[in-house]
Amino acid sequence: MADTSYTLQARGICKYFGEHTALQDIDFALRPGEVHALLGENGAGKSTLIKILTGAYHPDAGEVLLEDRPVSFRDPLHAQAHGIGTVYQEVNLLPNRSVAENLFLGRQPTRFGMVDKRRIEREATELLARYGLDDIDPRAELGAYSVAVQQIVAIARAVELSGKVLILDEPTASLDRNEVEKLFEVIADLKARGLAIVFITHFLDQVFAIADRVTILRNGRLIGTEPLTEMSRTDVVRMMLGKDISFSGGTSAVGEREVGELLVSFRGTGRTGSLQPFSLDIHKGEVIGVAGLLGSGRTEMARIMFGIDPADSGEIRLNGTPVSIQSASDAIAHGFGFCPEDRKADGIIGDLSVRENIVIALQGKLGWFRALNRDDQLEIAGRFAEMLDIRAASPDMPIKLLSGGNQQKVILARWLATDPGFLILDEPTRGIDVGAHAEIVRTINRLRDDGMALVVISSELDEVVAYSSRIVVMRDRELVAELRGENINPSVIVQAIANQSDEAIAS
Amino acid sequence: MNRSLRPLAATTIIFIIAYGLSVAQFPNMFSTRVLGNFLTDNAFLGITAVGMTFVIISGGIDLSVGAVIGFTGVLVAVLVSWFSVHPLIAFAIALVVASAFGALMGCAIHFLQVPSFIVTLAGMFLARGAASVLTQDSIPVNHEFYSFISTLYIKLDGGGRISFIGGLMLLVFVIGAILAHRTKFGSYVYALGGNATSASLMGVPVARTTILVYTLSSFLAGLAGVVFSLYTSAGYPLAAVGVELDAIGAVVIGGTLLTGGYGFIFGSFVGVMLQGLVQTYIIFDGSLSSWWTKIVIGMLLFLFIVLQRVIFSSSAPKLKHVRKLKHE
Ligand SMILES: Nc1ncnc2c1ncn2[C@@H]1O[C@H](COP(=O)(O)OP(=O)(O)OP(=O)(O)O)[C@@H](O)[C@H]1O
Ligand SMILES: [Mg+2]
């Protein structure tokens, strides 16, 4: 390479959290006009490296250079001022403030010392339109919008801030196909303008679609930096895991296999203003896949089933007897489990340990008079940590210090620990690395074979196809199709999801 | 309506209804004189409440304000009566001391990562103790400047008057509202209360904002102490005991969420006025014990906490969706 000038460079970075080595001697360099993928398993140290590059953490050794000059960013604000825009993994915005304020916080234009609200709102509208979000009111509270919209707002904010470097830590985890395409257009545009872009993801397809080079971390160590043109998928995975794994993607449908007796049935269950009434029978030993676009009512369905937003019409029968599910604790008492989509808001209890986070739902189910002692807790936590490959320095570490993917696994472990008869999983593989991804798909299959009834919501069609016995398709807050047998394949699902838009165009 | 506006609207409506009912019973209560006295009598509480609103929106609490009022009152009285310092200079000294005290508490909260209620509780004992060290007794202040201030007022139709301190409180509310809703500092305060980690990752200067918030709160408590001194013409170390709780009450009744992130300065004004209304009602009635003020405020507080809970958690509008596919 003749051109050795780097936009941003890290040399010999080390970072320790107490005993734990998060990063050991990492070199990482970004060229202007490149998209650089940063890959690694959950807990490999990707987010930690990003936080060091942007001043959110300070390295214990090593140096960071911006355009060949050593820099030491005090905090993210300082990095922003130097043209480094970042979307951190935890969608780090303020749900209590308006969309416009979230876009401009820290750099609001002022007039006579006052924030120029009108200008901010105008610019916010223009900015959002570029991402296809025309019908968002910039004055509305951000928290009123879905995770996907919040994610796009976070990206838009970071893009505006990035004069030289844009860093995206798993930005696409909650986006649908169209939104990902929009994002890629924006990235291509920035790349053409000479920005350096860091892209972290667990979707290898996306890496191959836009990245130029890739850096791979494993257990806090640098495995290598390579141009992607010289790599195959298998090479990448081998470097990440240090071993080969076989791909389970695209496997054929589970099909119409023997199912057990009817367990739960929903009859005209719905909730005004949230979801049209739907009917669904779920048998033991059956996985119902739920497909649909973001905002089609998938999550709403899960929340109604689990009583978080109780249904206001129809009835729910369990083993043939009508039951009333008015709250999550009713649902738990009936042996339901629910692993939510937004784990930050609904799932983890940040300050409690990994062990406590795993046993909490089980303890809730047992009641307070049958307290699990510490040994039981450790045994349970250990068993699931091994089963799901949860990487934590110790089971007594606060869960908020775990990497994003490992937190997700803890939530899954929590519900598996209650040994539910009926388990609802909302996007269980989001943000989870390839190795663990395959493990979760295997776990779902095993639970089904053990006779559990599952409802699994997922945006990844290949995955839904791989484990579902039946697939229901949601559209516009309504259950619109139920697919079985050979209809369980991605193209039929896409057809079912898209139907309405064709009709809309036709009319 | 924006859901953060709902508690404020509820408070305002309750105030109007309560005032209407009081007037129906005691028509004399509807006069500019009564309204003017509302302002004067609650000036120190209102000024304190403005600072408290910032603190609570930022996700903290300041338990030291009552003690700071007591301390500044005593400090001013000591300087003016014992050392013959001109009141204006005494005020300036008191405000500087109070602000420095707040800045110190802010530093402790941010850098030592100690919860604000612990730090400000310590601050409360410290300020109260310091006031008692200066004197155990009430020190009267007789200075022509105090008499002069009491001659400053704006006459209203109907015999009422807006006194200097009443007007000062209104001014503090106006400036507070501008600061909270129109400046960068204000947006940082809301950001902190919303989610401190996000705020810092988004580039909010967390340290500076935290320290400024407590400095502002103590400064305003100091100003309230000055106002209290003008109002009572004395300094007493046990003055304004429990005012921090009245202020917190006014802020919460005014629609600010105790957990931070949501709230309005104007709401705290209505909260203070509502407390003033209850007191005035009790005076007009004549037979009720003044403790009824506390009982009514307690009930209102409870009502509002329940109301906020309902508005902000269970009925939280779940996901406004950007609809990609239109129905029909
Ligand atoms: N503040 C902290 N204190 C202690 N340990 C931490 C802290 N932050 C991260 N770690 C640990 O450092 C390791 C690397 O975490 P990091 O978040 O960088 O992983 P990651 O590669 O981003 O993983 P994921 O794909 O799951 O997001 C993890 O083992 C995590 O538990
Ligand atoms: Mg991460």
Side-chain angles (χ1 to χ4, degrees):
Chain A
M1 299 281 138
D3 185 5
T4 52
S5 93
Y6 292 115
T7 310
L8 186 67
Q9 197 180 358
R11 282 201 210 134
I13 299 289
C14 298
K15 179 76 191 173
Y16 311 104
F17 292 113
E19 296 279 275
H20 181 75
T21 305
L23 293 174
Q24 180 68 45
D25 208 13
I26 306 292
D27 296 323
F28 183 66
L30 297 173
R31 298 205 184 108
E34 78 165 344
V35 177
H36 196 129
L38 181 57
L39 304 182
E41 289 179 274
N42 294 135
K46 305 178 295 291
S47 302
T48 307
L49 180 58
I50 294 314
K51 288 188 177 154
I52 286 175
L53 289 176
T54 57
Y57 288 165
H58 300 277
D60 294 318
E63 57 172 357
V64 177
L65 298 101
L66 182 68
E67 293 177 329
D68 300 328
R69 273 188 304 276
V71 284
S72 162
F73 296 128
R74 275 189 316 274
D75 49 30
L77 182 63
H78 195 195
Q80 272 174 30
H82 282 85
I84 301 181
T86 314
V87 178
Y88 296 93
Q89 187 170 9
E90 314 82 42
V91 175
N92 50 304
L93 295 179
L94 298 162
N96 61 328
R97 304 305 287 159
S98 71
V99 174
E101 190 166 317
N102 271 285
L103 284 166
F104 288 92
L105 188 74
R107 58 190 180 98
Q108 298 111 314
T110 50
R111 276 174 73 198
F112 317 113
M114 307 276 155
V115 171
D116 190 347
K117 281 205 172 165
R118 220 168 296 150
R119 187 167 145 208
I120 290 180
E121 278 156 20
R122 198 180 57 236
E123 290 182 7
T125 312
E126 289 166 13
L127 189 60
L128 291 169
R130 262 185 272 152
Y131 292 83
L133 297 181
D134 323 61
D135 43 3
I136 285 205
D137 177 3
R139 281 166 310 188
E141 249 175 57
L142 182 74
Y145 291 102
S146 68
V147 186
V149 171
Q150 297 190 22
Q151 183 89 50
I152 298 172
V153 172
I155 293 169
R157 176 187 159 87
V159 169
E160 288 306 294
L161 286 169
S162 53
K164 294 173 186 149
V165 182
L166 172 64
I167 301 178
L168 303 169
D169 193 348
E170 295 197 32
T172 55
S174 47
L175 302 188
D176 68 20
R177 258 161 234 259
N178 287 329
E179 289 159 342
V180 170
E181 263 164 42
K182 281 257 163 49
L183 173 63
F184 284 5
E185 279 167 28
V186 173
I187 291 180
D189 181 47
L190 295 174
K191 183 178 152 176
R193 283 182 7 214
L195 264 77
I197 295 142
V198 180
F199 185 57
I200 299 180
T201 185
H202 291 292
F203 297 106
L204 290 185
D205 294 341
Q206 295 180 359
V207 172
F208 282 91
I210 64 162
D212 303 304
R213 290 198 302 158
V214 55
T215 291
I216 292 172
L217 303 181
R218 193 197 313 147
N219 282 334
R221 294 206 161 56
L222 178 69
I223 302 302
T225 299
E226 305 283 345
L228 258 179
T229 42
E230 292 160 20
M231 310 254 299
S232 73
R233 267 178 89 98
T234 338
D235 296 336
V236 173
V237 173
R238 187 181 310 120
M239 283 175 81
M240 275 166 67
L241 303 185
K243 59 178 190 255
D244 282 314
I245 64 155
S246 58
F247 276 99
S248 58
T251 44
S252 64
V254 176
E256 209 90 351
R257 62 164 71 204
E258 279 296 305
V259 293
E261 63 211 70
L262 181 62
L263 183 70
V264 204
S265 79
F266 298 91
R267 283 275 161 272
T269 312
R271 182 177 162 89
T272 335
S274 159
L275 191 71
Q276 299 288 330
F278 67 93
S279 295
L280 187 62
D281 290 333
I282 304 159
H283 302 83
K284 289 185 180 164
E286 191 174 43
V287 178
I288 310 285
V290 182
L293 296 175
L294 285 169
S296 59
R298 302 177 310 181
T299 296
E300 286 77 359
M301 176 151 112
R303 292 172 66 92
I304 289 172
M305 287 176 165
F306 198 61
I308 299 171
D309 301 322
D312 57 11
S313 68
E315 68 165 358
I316 305 176
R317 283 168 177 270
L318 181 67
N319 290 321
T321 26
V323 290
S324 151
I325 297 195
Q326 292 302 318
S327 67
S329 47
D330 290 350
I332 294 171
H334 286 112
F336 290 17
F338 175 46
C339 180
E341 169 187 34
D342 184 355
R343 58 178 176 262
K344 272 281 165 194
D346 302 327
I348 66 165
I349 305 170
D351 290 313
L352 291 190
S353 68
V354 174
R355 167 175 56 84
E356 289 160 322
N357 267 286
I358 291 180
V359 299
I360 192 163
L362 177 59
Q363 184 65 76
K365 192 179 173 191
L366 291 177
W368 294 113
F369 298 109
R370 282 190 285 155
L372 292 165
N373 65 30
R374 212 184 123 85
D375 286 344
D376 294 343
Q377 295 187 1
L378 279 176
E379 190 274 318
I380 293 166
R383 182 148 47 89
F384 286 100
E386 193 175 336
M387 176 167 134
L388 299 175
D389 190 21
I390 297 171
R391 310 248 169 109
S394 115
D396 285 318
M397 179 165 163
I399 190 173
K400 66 178 176 193
L401 301 182
L402 253 58
S403 78
N406 282 311
Q407 291 177 2
Q408 178 77 336
K409 294 183 199 167
V410 170
I411 300 298
L412 189 57
R414 174 191 298 170
W415 292 107
L416 293 181
T418 64
D419 190 19
F422 174 46
L423 182 62
I424 306 160
L425 304 173
D426 195 354
E427 299 283 0
T429 55
R430 171 175 300 164
I432 282 187
D433 65 49
V434 261
H437 192 290
E439 184 54 48
I440 285 182
V441 172
R442 263 199 299 279
T443 307
I444 291 175
N445 282 321
R446 209 190 52 240
L447 294 172
R448 182 198 50 218
D449 294 342
D450 290 349
M452 193 185 284
L454 293 104
V455 166
V456 186
I457 298 171
S458 175
S459 307
E460 285 179 76
L461 296 184
D462 290 341
E463 181 190 307
V464 182
V465 166
Y467 49 62
S468 300
S469 332
R470 267 186 295 151
I471 291 178
V472 296
V473 178
M474 305 295 295
R475 193 201 301 138
D476 259 346
R477 302 172 168 251
E478 201 175 346
L479 194 162
V480 291
E482 189 174 318
L483 308 174
R484 42 176 89 222
E486 60 228 38
N487 277 337
I488 301 189
N489 75 56
S491 62
V492 177
I493 302 174
V494 170
Q495 194 63 42
I497 291 175
N499 244 343
Q500 186 76 29
S501 47
D502 299 345
E503 286 163 25
I505 293 164
S507 63
Chain B
M1 180 165 48
N2 190 328
R3 68 198 173 111
S4 60
L5 272 169
R6 275 183 246 164
L8 174 58
T11 314
T12 313
I13 291 168
I14 288 180
F15 177 78
I16 292 169
I17 293 175
Y19 194 42
L21 290 177
S22 309
V23 170
Q25 197 181 349
F26 305 109
N28 283 342
M29 270 182 78
F30 189 67
S31 72
T32 53
R33 183 169 307 173
V34 171
L35 285 174
N37 287 346
F38 264 20
L39 299 181
T40 308
D41 297 340
N42 293 295
F44 71 98
L45 179 61
I47 292 172
T48 316
V50 172
M52 188 65 80
T53 314
F54 279 92
V55 174
I56 293 181
I57 290 174
S58 82
I61 196 94
D62 188 349
L63 299 177
S64 70
V65 288
V68 171
I69 294 175
F71 174 78
T72 18
V74 170
L75 183 64
V76 166
V78 166
L79 288 172
V80 173
S81 300
W82 295 356
F83 297 95
S84 315
V85 178
H86 188 275
L88 277 177
I89 297 174
F91 295 167
I93 294 174
L95 290 177
V96 169
V97 173
S99 308
F101 183 68
L104 221 64
M105 290 195 296
C107 287
I109 290 164
H110 177 77
F111 293 111
L112 307 180
Q113 295 284 318
V114 184
S116 56
F117 77 91
I118 295 179
V119 171
T120 57
L121 187 67
M124 172 176 113
F125 286 120
L126 214 73
R128 212 40 103 183
S132 310
V133 167
L134 287 178
T135 174
Q136 298 277 9
D137 313 311
S138 177
I139 306 174
V141 182
N142 297 307
H143 196 282
E144 65 265 27
F145 183 74
Y146 272 55
S147 332
F148 166 69
I149 289 284
S150 62
T151 63
L152 295 178
Y153 53 80
I154 303 169
K155 259 201 147 55
L156 299 172
D157 288 345
R161 48 178 69 166
I162 296 182
S163 62
F164 174 78
I165 58 175
L168 184 64
M169 171 182 77
L170 291 178
L171 187 69
V172 168
F173 268 104
V174 171
I175 295 176
I178 293 173
L179 200 58
H181 307 306
R182 293 276 152 194
T183 65
K184 283 193 183 189
F185 170 71
S187 62
Y188 293 161
V189 173
Y190 281 95
L192 267 190
N195 183 334
T197 318
S198 292
S200 94
L201 290 177
M202 283 172 91
V204 169
V206 175
R208 193 175 46 168
T209 309
T210 309
I211 294 167
L212 273 177
V213 162
Y214 289 91
T215 309
L216 179 67
S217 175
S218 286
F219 168 80
L220 288 176
L223 189 63
V226 167
V227 163
F228 199 68
S229 159
L230 288 167
Y231 181 60
T232 58
S233 294
Y236 179 51
L238 292 182
V241 167
V243 163
E244 59 279 356
L245 301 180
D246 292 337
I248 294 169
V251 171
V252 172
I253 289 174
T256 297
L257 205 60
L258 256 181
T259 43
Y262 293 93
F264 298 94
I265 301 291
F266 176 70
S268 303
F269 179 71
V270 182
V272 169
M273 287 300 106
L274 202 55
Q275 297 202 7
L277 177 66
V278 177
Q279 277 159 5
T280 313
Y281 179 86
I282 284 162
I283 293 166
F284 268 74
D285 183 90
S287 65
L288 290 170
S289 140
S290 70
W291 285 103
W292 278 100
T293 320
K294 301 278 177 208
I295 293 172
V296 173
I297 297 299
M299 289 189 319
L300 282 174
L301 207 55
F302 187 69
L303 180 79
F304 273 87
I305 290 171
V306 171
L307 184 74
Q308 291 182 347
R309 195 83 215 137
V310 169
I311 292 175
F312 280 90
S313 48
S314 55
S315 79
K318 194 57 195 172
L319 309 189
K320 260 186 206 179
H321 272 293
V322 185
R323 314 227 320 182
K324 300 210 172 56
L325 307 167
K326 287 262 150 41
H327 221 54
E328 279 126 31

